[in-house]
Amino acid sequence: MVVMLRLFKSFDAQPRLAVVTQTLVTATQDMIHFFIIFFSCYFCMVVNAVLLFGQDAENFSTLGRATMACFRTLFGGWDYDEMEKVGLLQCAIWFW
């Protein structure tokens, strides 16, 4: 992490690369607000997944496993058949 911060600090020496750091500095407050909302919604999805699928699907049996399964779901890698065993309606509602 420190190496990455030092790398961004060295970007200030070059005018074209300084655009990257200045953009990040300018957008810091907006990014903080975005991630607060994003993680709030993400945590709600994880809790809902545990409540809906936790008893029947091993991937959603604990908060830790559900967090990882929801992360994989964000990138399109989910086991729809395992979730559908719980019920088609619950699965469709959770995805929607």
Side-chain angles (χ1 to χ4, degrees):
M1 185 72 167
V2 175
V3 173
M4 187 171 55
L5 291 175
R6 293 178 86 193
L7 177 68
F8 281 126
K9 186 178 178 181
S10 68
F11 281 2
D12 285 334
Q14 305 243 344
R16 288 186 178 182
L17 295 177
V19 171
V20 174
T21 56
Q22 291 304 314
T23 302
L24 290 174
V25 168
T26 304
T28 300
Q29 188 175 9
D30 291 332
M31 289 190 321
I32 290 171
H33 288 117
F34 169 78
F35 283 114
I36 288 171
I37 300 300
F38 174 79
F39 285 120
S40 297
C41 293
Y42 184 76
F43 185 70
C44 287
M45 289 294 292
V46 169
V47 171
N48 284 332
V50 171
L51 293 174
L52 286 173
F53 310 117
Q55 292 180 355
D56 300 319
E58 187 177 343
N59 286 340
F60 297 101
S61 60
T62 64
L63 280 176
R65 287 183 180 190
T67 301
M68 292 306 294
C70 287
F71 183 75
R72 285 191 303 271
T73 302
L74 285 174
F75 293 103
W78 67 84
D79 190 5
Y80 186 79
D81 295 331
E82 182 181 10
M83 293 168 67
E84 192 179 28
K85 290 177 188 175
V86 175
L88 183 60
L89 180 63
Q90 291 91 340
C91 187
I93 289 171
W94 186 77
F95 271 106
W96 185 68

